[in-house]
Amino acid sequence: MKRSRKPRASAASSCPFLVVDENRLAWTAAQLLLGSDESMADRGRLILLYGPSGTGKSHVCELVSKQLTQTTPDTVMRYDSVELLEKLGPDHRHEEFWPESPTAGRVLIVEDLQHLRHESVQRAFAWRIDEMLRRGTTGLFTSIAPPGELKGILPRLKSRLRGGTLIPIQMPGPASRLKLLEHFCSHLQIALPHDVLKLFAREMPVSPRELLGTLLRFEELARARRELAALPLARAFLRQEPGETELSLNDIAKVTARQFGVRLSEMKSTARDQSITLPRQCAMFLCRELTGEHLAKIGAYFSNRSHSTVLHACGRIAGLLDEDAALRREVDQIRRSLRGR
């Protein structure tokens, strides 16, 4: 089995988006936003991507945000819905949010609208959508379900969302799962027999993110046992998968704190000492890698930190793992400890 030159977690976080049948419409919408056709910016529009977690909605938003920012700085305003809750909550003046009104040619990205539960926040957001469309700003939003199935959302906001372009991203079918597995193997330089990939694609009706996690766990198992990553081992691996205990954020944080010799309460506190910050960032990185939880939920666990703080932590640790052998050993030991639970 061929090893990647980069640490797996770091490389996996940068896997390029693969267009398959189930996400092709979302990809097309992203290309329209990134293209030279200025008609979208001229009149403004609303695009809602919806589908299960792990299907690539955030990946599409990241693609649009990164490329537009590179070509035209200050084009993108990007928020997580939990950030809106913080900024537009009952203790904040709504007019102070986005002090400069969204203008034509800009793109507003807001992810996970299902978390917008406070009525005052929803009313303010619906008003901003009206202003956004009037001024010619384009909105790219995501949720786990179409507007009619979002619980706790005001009819006024549902109406605004229904008026946009609704694009589903579905769970990949067997053919798409095989393409995704081949894509991940190529990017991560993992050599697996085609019959193993076909077995995983057939037996695992899960999201792309879960497929990637399965691939990494299987490769690690074969390496640890020093066995060929062949069909018999793959079948045994799949028999064990359903019985695995699902890790919680608290499980990962506790093991990380123990590995670094700090208290869990300190790691969850607002302290910013370097002796606490690095373990906390490692815990955030591993929480994202091992659970696939949304950044906002991870941030909430660590003293209600924002999703952008978690994103920064994950990026920093991914970079350090490429350079710091000692830190790689610490993180690998945490992974081994968690597997042995």
Side-chain angles (χ1 to χ4, degrees), residues 256-257 260-283 302 305 316:
T256 304
F260 282 94
V262 299
R263 293 188 180 90
L264 177 61
S265 59
E266 292 176 324
M267 206 162 64
K268 292 179 64 179
S269 74
T270 57
R272 296 188 177 184
D273 297 345
Q274 178 61 24
S275 61
I276 302 299
T277 299
L278 183 63
R280 180 189 295 131
Q281 290 180 332
C282 284
F302 290 96
R305 285 175 164 81
R316 178 175 184 244

PDB file of all heavy atoms in Angstrom, residues 256-257 260-283 302 305 316:
ATOM      1  N   THR A 256      -7.795  14.215  24.388  1.00  0.00           N
ATOM      2  CA  THR A 256      -6.819  15.226  23.979  1.00  0.00           C
ATOM      3  C   THR A 256      -6.243  15.950  25.192  1.00  0.00           C
ATOM      4  O   THR A 256      -5.026  16.173  25.278  1.00  0.00           O
ATOM      5  CB  THR A 256      -7.474  16.245  23.023  1.00  0.00           C
ATOM      6  OG1 THR A 256      -8.030  15.553  21.903  1.00  0.00           O
ATOM      7  CG2 THR A 256      -6.460  17.255  22.527  1.00  0.00           C
ATOM      8  N   ALA A 257      -7.098  16.311  26.124  1.00  0.00           N
ATOM      9  CA  ALA A 257      -6.629  16.982  27.337  1.00  0.00           C
ATOM     10  C   ALA A 257      -5.656  16.090  28.107  1.00  0.00           C
ATOM     11  O   ALA A 257      -4.606  16.557  28.584  1.00  0.00           O
ATOM     12  CB  ALA A 257      -7.825  17.361  28.214  1.00  0.00           C
ATOM     13  N   PHE A 260      -2.183  15.935  26.395  1.00  0.00           N
ATOM     14  CA  PHE A 260      -1.375  17.146  26.535  1.00  0.00           C
ATOM     15  C   PHE A 260      -1.147  17.552  27.997  1.00  0.00           C
ATOM     16  O   PHE A 260      -0.454  18.541  28.266  1.00  0.00           O
ATOM     17  CB  PHE A 260      -2.019  18.308  25.779  1.00  0.00           C
ATOM     18  CG  PHE A 260      -1.803  18.259  24.294  1.00  0.00           C
ATOM     19  CD1 PHE A 260      -2.748  17.669  23.465  1.00  0.00           C
ATOM     20  CD2 PHE A 260      -0.652  18.787  23.727  1.00  0.00           C
ATOM     21  CE1 PHE A 260      -2.556  17.623  22.093  1.00  0.00           C
ATOM     22  CE2 PHE A 260      -0.450  18.743  22.360  1.00  0.00           C
ATOM     23  CZ  PHE A 260      -1.400  18.156  21.535  1.00  0.00           C
ATOM     24  N   GLY A 261      -1.750  16.809  28.934  1.00  0.00           N
ATOM     25  CA  GLY A 261      -1.537  17.100  30.343  1.00  0.00           C
ATOM     26  C   GLY A 261      -2.208  18.365  30.828  1.00  0.00           C
ATOM     27  O   GLY A 261      -1.675  19.078  31.684  1.00  0.00           O
ATOM     28  N   VAL A 262      -3.381  18.679  30.279  1.00  0.00           N
ATOM     29  CA  VAL A 262      -4.128  19.851  30.736  1.00  0.00           C
ATOM     30  C   VAL A 262      -5.496  19.396  31.224  1.00  0.00           C
ATOM     31  O   VAL A 262      -5.936  18.277  30.943  1.00  0.00           O
ATOM     32  CB  VAL A 262      -4.293  20.893  29.604  1.00  0.00           C
ATOM     33  CG1 VAL A 262      -2.938  21.380  29.125  1.00  0.00           C
ATOM     34  CG2 VAL A 262      -5.106  20.326  28.444  1.00  0.00           C
ATOM     35  N   ARG A 263      -6.172  20.261  31.957  1.00  0.00           N
ATOM     36  CA  ARG A 263      -7.504  19.928  32.445  1.00  0.00           C
ATOM     37  C   ARG A 263      -8.530  20.159  31.334  1.00  0.00           C
ATOM     38  O   ARG A 263      -8.427  21.114  30.559  1.00  0.00           O
ATOM     39  CB  ARG A 263      -7.872  20.787  33.651  1.00  0.00           C
ATOM     40  CG  ARG A 263      -7.055  20.514  34.900  1.00  0.00           C
ATOM     41  CD  ARG A 263      -7.648  21.277  36.080  1.00  0.00           C
ATOM     42  NE  ARG A 263      -6.901  21.042  37.305  1.00  0.00           N
ATOM     43  CZ  ARG A 263      -5.879  21.761  37.713  1.00  0.00           C
ATOM     44  NH1 ARG A 263      -5.480  22.797  36.970  1.00  0.00           N
ATOM     45  NH2 ARG A 263      -5.256  21.496  38.831  1.00  0.00           N
ATOM     46  N   LEU A 264      -9.538  19.294  31.296  1.00  0.00           N
ATOM     47  CA  LEU A 264     -10.604  19.467  30.324  1.00  0.00           C
ATOM     48  C   LEU A 264     -11.300  20.806  30.533  1.00  0.00           C
ATOM     49  O   LEU A 264     -11.629  21.507  29.566  1.00  0.00           O
ATOM     50  CB  LEU A 264     -11.622  18.319  30.436  1.00  0.00           C
ATOM     51  CG  LEU A 264     -12.841  18.402  29.512  1.00  0.00           C
ATOM     52  CD1 LEU A 264     -12.417  18.387  28.046  1.00  0.00           C
ATOM     53  CD2 LEU A 264     -13.812  17.263  29.802  1.00  0.00           C
ATOM     54  N   SER A 265     -11.511  21.190  31.779  1.00  0.00           N
ATOM     55  CA  SER A 265     -12.181  22.469  32.074  1.00  0.00           C
ATOM     56  C   SER A 265     -11.378  23.651  31.538  1.00  0.00           C
ATOM     57  O   SER A 265     -11.948  24.641  31.076  1.00  0.00           O
ATOM     58  CB  SER A 265     -12.395  22.617  33.582  1.00  0.00           C
ATOM     59  OG  SER A 265     -11.156  22.556  34.272  1.00  0.00           O
ATOM     60  N   GLU A 266     -10.042  23.548  31.583  1.00  0.00           N
ATOM     61  CA  GLU A 266      -9.204  24.618  31.047  1.00  0.00           C
ATOM     62  C   GLU A 266      -9.330  24.687  29.526  1.00  0.00           C
ATOM     63  O   GLU A 266      -9.412  25.773  28.945  1.00  0.00           O
ATOM     64  CB  GLU A 266      -7.739  24.377  31.422  1.00  0.00           C
ATOM     65  CG  GLU A 266      -7.428  24.523  32.893  1.00  0.00           C
ATOM     66  CD  GLU A 266      -5.983  24.189  33.214  1.00  0.00           C
ATOM     67  OE1 GLU A 266      -5.426  23.266  32.574  1.00  0.00           O
ATOM     68  OE2 GLU A 266      -5.417  24.848  34.095  1.00  0.00           O
ATOM     69  N   MET A 267      -9.362  23.529  28.892  1.00  0.00           N
ATOM     70  CA  MET A 267      -9.436  23.496  27.441  1.00  0.00           C
ATOM     71  C   MET A 267     -10.776  24.034  26.936  1.00  0.00           C
ATOM     72  O   MET A 267     -10.856  24.616  25.856  1.00  0.00           O
ATOM     73  CB  MET A 267      -9.212  22.067  26.941  1.00  0.00           C
ATOM     74  CG  MET A 267      -8.667  22.001  25.537  1.00  0.00           C
ATOM     75  SD  MET A 267      -7.943  20.395  25.154  1.00  0.00           S
ATOM     76  CE  MET A 267      -9.371  19.325  25.261  1.00  0.00           C
ATOM     77  N   LYS A 268     -11.815  23.850  27.742  1.00  0.00           N
ATOM     78  CA  LYS A 268     -13.136  24.352  27.350  1.00  0.00           C
ATOM     79  C   LYS A 268     -13.370  25.792  27.790  1.00  0.00           C
ATOM     80  O   LYS A 268     -14.399  26.377  27.464  1.00  0.00           O
ATOM     81  CB  LYS A 268     -14.228  23.456  27.946  1.00  0.00           C
ATOM     82  CG  LYS A 268     -14.262  22.059  27.358  1.00  0.00           C
ATOM     83  CD  LYS A 268     -15.338  21.212  28.000  1.00  0.00           C
ATOM     84  CE  LYS A 268     -16.727  21.752  27.720  1.00  0.00           C
ATOM     85  NZ  LYS A 268     -17.788  20.922  28.318  1.00  0.00           N
ATOM     86  N   SER A 269     -12.411  26.357  28.522  1.00  0.00           N
ATOM     87  CA  SER A 269     -12.578  27.715  29.036  1.00  0.00           C
ATOM     88  C   SER A 269     -12.234  28.746  27.966  1.00  0.00           C
ATOM     89  O   SER A 269     -11.884  28.414  26.837  1.00  0.00           O
ATOM     90  CB  SER A 269     -11.677  27.915  30.258  1.00  0.00           C
ATOM     91  OG  SER A 269     -10.319  28.032  29.856  1.00  0.00           O
ATOM     92  N   THR A 270     -12.300  30.018  28.366  1.00  0.00           N
ATOM     93  CA  THR A 270     -11.945  31.103  27.443  1.00  0.00           C
ATOM     94  C   THR A 270     -10.464  31.460  27.516  1.00  0.00           C
ATOM     95  O   THR A 270     -10.026  32.415  26.871  1.00  0.00           O
ATOM     96  CB  THR A 270     -12.773  32.358  27.772  1.00  0.00           C
ATOM     97  OG1 THR A 270     -12.547  32.730  29.142  1.00  0.00           O
ATOM     98  CG2 THR A 270     -14.264  32.093  27.560  1.00  0.00           C
ATOM     99  N   ALA A 271      -9.676  30.709  28.300  1.00  0.00           N
ATOM    100  CA  ALA A 271      -8.239  30.999  28.442  1.00  0.00           C
ATOM    101  C   ALA A 271      -7.537  30.931  27.087  1.00  0.00           C
ATOM    102  O   ALA A 271      -7.862  30.091  26.247  1.00  0.00           O
ATOM    103  CB  ALA A 271      -7.605  30.001  29.406  1.00  0.00           C
ATOM    104  N   ARG A 272      -6.551  31.817  26.896  1.00  0.00           N
ATOM    105  CA  ARG A 272      -5.848  31.882  25.609  1.00  0.00           C
ATOM    106  C   ARG A 272      -4.352  31.626  25.754  1.00  0.00           C
ATOM    107  O   ARG A 272      -3.585  31.940  24.853  1.00  0.00           O
ATOM    108  CB  ARG A 272      -6.081  33.250  24.961  1.00  0.00           C
ATOM    109  CG  ARG A 272      -7.540  33.507  24.604  1.00  0.00           C
ATOM    110  CD  ARG A 272      -7.703  34.769  23.809  1.00  0.00           C
ATOM    111  NE  ARG A 272      -9.085  34.976  23.416  1.00  0.00           N
ATOM    112  CZ  ARG A 272      -9.497  35.973  22.645  1.00  0.00           C
ATOM    113  NH1 ARG A 272      -8.625  36.860  22.203  1.00  0.00           N
ATOM    114  NH2 ARG A 272     -10.768  36.097  22.335  1.00  0.00           N
ATOM    115  N   ASP A 273      -3.926  31.068  26.875  1.00  0.00           N
ATOM    116  CA  ASP A 273      -2.517  30.727  27.039  1.00  0.00           C
ATOM    117  C   ASP A 273      -2.129  29.696  25.978  1.00  0.00           C
ATOM    118  O   ASP A 273      -2.908  28.805  25.639  1.00  0.00           O
ATOM    119  CB  ASP A 273      -2.258  30.133  28.437  1.00  0.00           C
ATOM    120  CG  ASP A 273      -2.547  31.141  29.540  1.00  0.00           C
ATOM    121  OD1 ASP A 273      -2.655  32.337  29.222  1.00  0.00           O
ATOM    122  OD2 ASP A 273      -2.682  30.714  30.697  1.00  0.00           O
ATOM    123  N   GLN A 274      -0.888  29.799  25.492  1.00  0.00           N
ATOM    124  CA  GLN A 274      -0.426  28.878  24.471  1.00  0.00           C
ATOM    125  C   GLN A 274      -0.491  27.436  24.945  1.00  0.00           C
ATOM    126  O   GLN A 274      -0.759  26.520  24.161  1.00  0.00           O
ATOM    127  CB  GLN A 274       1.007  29.237  24.055  1.00  0.00           C
ATOM    128  CG  GLN A 274       1.630  28.304  23.020  1.00  0.00           C
ATOM    129  CD  GLN A 274       0.863  28.277  21.705  1.00  0.00           C
ATOM    130  OE1 GLN A 274       0.161  29.223  21.374  1.00  0.00           O
ATOM    131  NE2 GLN A 274       0.999  27.193  20.955  1.00  0.00           N
ATOM    132  N   SER A 275      -0.250  27.227  26.243  1.00  0.00           N
ATOM    133  CA  SER A 275      -0.280  25.861  26.781  1.00  0.00           C
ATOM    134  C   SER A 275      -1.675  25.246  26.689  1.00  0.00           C
ATOM    135  O   SER A 275      -1.829  24.024  26.725  1.00  0.00           O
ATOM    136  CB  SER A 275       0.178  25.864  28.240  1.00  0.00           C
ATOM    137  OG  SER A 275      -0.685  26.673  29.029  1.00  0.00           O
ATOM    138  N   ILE A 276      -2.698  26.091  26.575  1.00  0.00           N
ATOM    139  CA  ILE A 276      -4.079  25.625  26.447  1.00  0.00           C
ATOM    140  C   ILE A 276      -4.555  25.714  25.002  1.00  0.00           C
ATOM    141  O   ILE A 276      -5.293  24.860  24.521  1.00  0.00           O
ATOM    142  CB  ILE A 276      -5.017  26.456  27.351  1.00  0.00           C
ATOM    143  CG1 ILE A 276      -4.562  26.375  28.806  1.00  0.00           C
ATOM    144  CG2 ILE A 276      -6.456  25.970  27.209  1.00  0.00           C
ATOM    145  CD1 ILE A 276      -4.570  24.985  29.380  1.00  0.00           C
ATOM    146  N   THR A 277      -4.109  26.752  24.299  1.00  0.00           N
ATOM    147  CA  THR A 277      -4.605  27.002  22.945  1.00  0.00           C
ATOM    148  C   THR A 277      -4.280  25.857  21.992  1.00  0.00           C
ATOM    149  O   THR A 277      -5.141  25.408  21.220  1.00  0.00           O
ATOM    150  CB  THR A 277      -4.016  28.316  22.391  1.00  0.00           C
ATOM    151  OG1 THR A 277      -4.432  29.393  23.227  1.00  0.00           O
ATOM    152  CG2 THR A 277      -4.488  28.558  20.973  1.00  0.00           C
ATOM    153  N   LEU A 278      -3.035  25.363  22.026  1.00  0.00           N
ATOM    154  CA  LEU A 278      -2.654  24.297  21.101  1.00  0.00           C
ATOM    155  C   LEU A 278      -3.461  23.016  21.345  1.00  0.00           C
ATOM    156  O   LEU A 278      -4.010  22.443  20.393  1.00  0.00           O
ATOM    157  CB  LEU A 278      -1.156  24.013  21.189  1.00  0.00           C
ATOM    158  CG  LEU A 278      -0.643  22.954  20.202  1.00  0.00           C
ATOM    159  CD1 LEU A 278      -0.846  23.404  18.760  1.00  0.00           C
ATOM    160  CD2 LEU A 278       0.829  22.639  20.462  1.00  0.00           C
ATOM    161  N   PRO A 279      -3.577  22.520  22.602  1.00  0.00           N
ATOM    162  CA  PRO A 279      -4.422  21.342  22.829  1.00  0.00           C
ATOM    163  C   PRO A 279      -5.865  21.561  22.394  1.00  0.00           C
ATOM    164  O   PRO A 279      -6.492  20.668  21.820  1.00  0.00           O
ATOM    165  CB  PRO A 279      -4.327  21.125  24.345  1.00  0.00           C
ATOM    166  CG  PRO A 279      -3.030  21.744  24.733  1.00  0.00           C
ATOM    167  CD  PRO A 279      -2.854  22.919  23.834  1.00  0.00           C
ATOM    168  N   ARG A 280      -6.391  22.774  22.662  1.00  0.00           N
ATOM    169  CA  ARG A 280      -7.768  23.064  22.271  1.00  0.00           C
ATOM    170  C   ARG A 280      -7.924  23.008  20.752  1.00  0.00           C
ATOM    171  O   ARG A 280      -8.894  22.446  20.235  1.00  0.00           O
ATOM    172  CB  ARG A 280      -8.165  24.452  22.777  1.00  0.00           C
ATOM    173  CG  ARG A 280      -9.608  24.852  22.423  1.00  0.00           C
ATOM    174  CD  ARG A 280      -9.847  26.299  22.759  1.00  0.00           C
ATOM    175  NE  ARG A 280      -9.765  26.539  24.187  1.00  0.00           N
ATOM    176  CZ  ARG A 280      -9.050  27.522  24.736  1.00  0.00           C
ATOM    177  NH1 ARG A 280      -8.329  28.337  23.976  1.00  0.00           N
ATOM    178  NH2 ARG A 280      -9.041  27.691  26.048  1.00  0.00           N
ATOM    179  N   GLN A 281      -6.970  23.578  20.037  1.00  0.00           N
ATOM    180  CA  GLN A 281      -7.057  23.556  18.575  1.00  0.00           C
ATOM    181  C   GLN A 281      -6.921  22.137  18.032  1.00  0.00           C
ATOM    182  O   GLN A 281      -7.590  21.777  17.061  1.00  0.00           O
ATOM    183  CB  GLN A 281      -5.993  24.484  17.977  1.00  0.00           C
ATOM    184  CG  GLN A 281      -6.280  25.955  18.214  1.00  0.00           C
ATOM    185  CD  GLN A 281      -5.220  26.861  17.616  1.00  0.00           C
ATOM    186  OE1 GLN A 281      -4.054  26.474  17.479  1.00  0.00           O
ATOM    187  NE2 GLN A 281      -5.603  28.072  17.259  1.00  0.00           N
ATOM    188  N   CYS A 282      -6.065  21.335  18.654  1.00  0.00           N
ATOM    189  CA  CYS A 282      -5.959  19.929  18.246  1.00  0.00           C
ATOM    190  C   CYS A 282      -7.278  19.196  18.477  1.00  0.00           C
ATOM    191  O   CYS A 282      -7.711  18.389  17.640  1.00  0.00           O
ATOM    192  CB  CYS A 282      -4.841  19.236  19.018  1.00  0.00           C
ATOM    193  SG  CYS A 282      -3.178  19.656  18.455  1.00  0.00           S
ATOM    194  N   ALA A 283      -7.919  19.480  19.607  1.00  0.00           N
ATOM    195  CA  ALA A 283      -9.203  18.843  19.905  1.00  0.00           C
ATOM    196  C   ALA A 283     -10.255  19.252  18.883  1.00  0.00           C
ATOM    197  O   ALA A 283     -11.042  18.416  18.408  1.00  0.00           O
ATOM    198  CB  ALA A 283      -9.655  19.209  21.317  1.00  0.00           C
ATOM    199  N   PHE A 302     -16.812  24.283  22.851  1.00  0.00           N
ATOM    200  CA  PHE A 302     -15.647  24.953  23.431  1.00  0.00           C
ATOM    201  C   PHE A 302     -15.991  26.405  23.781  1.00  0.00           C
ATOM    202  O   PHE A 302     -15.530  27.355  23.155  1.00  0.00           O
ATOM    203  CB  PHE A 302     -14.462  24.895  22.457  1.00  0.00           C
ATOM    204  CG  PHE A 302     -13.885  23.529  22.299  1.00  0.00           C
ATOM    205  CD1 PHE A 302     -14.272  22.718  21.246  1.00  0.00           C
ATOM    206  CD2 PHE A 302     -12.957  23.031  23.208  1.00  0.00           C
ATOM    207  CE1 PHE A 302     -13.746  21.440  21.094  1.00  0.00           C
ATOM    208  CE2 PHE A 302     -12.424  21.756  23.069  1.00  0.00           C
ATOM    209  CZ  PHE A 302     -12.830  20.958  22.016  1.00  0.00           C
ATOM    210  N   ARG A 305     -17.453  29.271  21.091  1.00  0.00           N
ATOM    211  CA  ARG A 305     -16.619  29.949  20.101  1.00  0.00           C
ATOM    212  C   ARG A 305     -17.289  29.889  18.728  1.00  0.00           C
ATOM    213  O   ARG A 305     -18.063  28.986  18.439  1.00  0.00           O
ATOM    214  CB  ARG A 305     -15.230  29.300  20.052  1.00  0.00           C
ATOM    215  CG  ARG A 305     -14.374  29.684  21.249  1.00  0.00           C
ATOM    216  CD  ARG A 305     -13.060  28.937  21.261  1.00  0.00           C
ATOM    217  NE  ARG A 305     -12.107  29.555  22.168  1.00  0.00           N
ATOM    218  CZ  ARG A 305     -12.085  29.370  23.483  1.00  0.00           C
ATOM    219  NH1 ARG A 305     -12.987  28.562  24.029  1.00  0.00           N
ATOM    220  NH2 ARG A 305     -11.200  29.972  24.237  1.00  0.00           N
ATOM    221  N   ARG A 316      -4.942  25.709  11.052  1.00  0.00           N
ATOM    222  CA  ARG A 316      -3.629  25.842  11.679  1.00  0.00           C
ATOM    223  C   ARG A 316      -3.031  24.471  11.997  1.00  0.00           C
ATOM    224  O   ARG A 316      -1.852  24.213  11.724  1.00  0.00           O
ATOM    225  CB  ARG A 316      -3.736  26.673  12.958  1.00  0.00           C
ATOM    226  CG  ARG A 316      -2.389  26.801  13.683  1.00  0.00           C
ATOM    227  CD  ARG A 316      -2.461  27.720  14.876  1.00  0.00           C
ATOM    228  NE  ARG A 316      -1.126  27.862  15.446  1.00  0.00           N
ATOM    229  CZ  ARG A 316      -0.779  27.455  16.656  1.00  0.00           C
ATOM    230  NH1 ARG A 316      -1.674  26.884  17.452  1.00  0.00           N
ATOM    231  NH2 ARG A 316       0.449  27.620  17.110  1.00  0.00           N
TER     232      ARG A 316
END
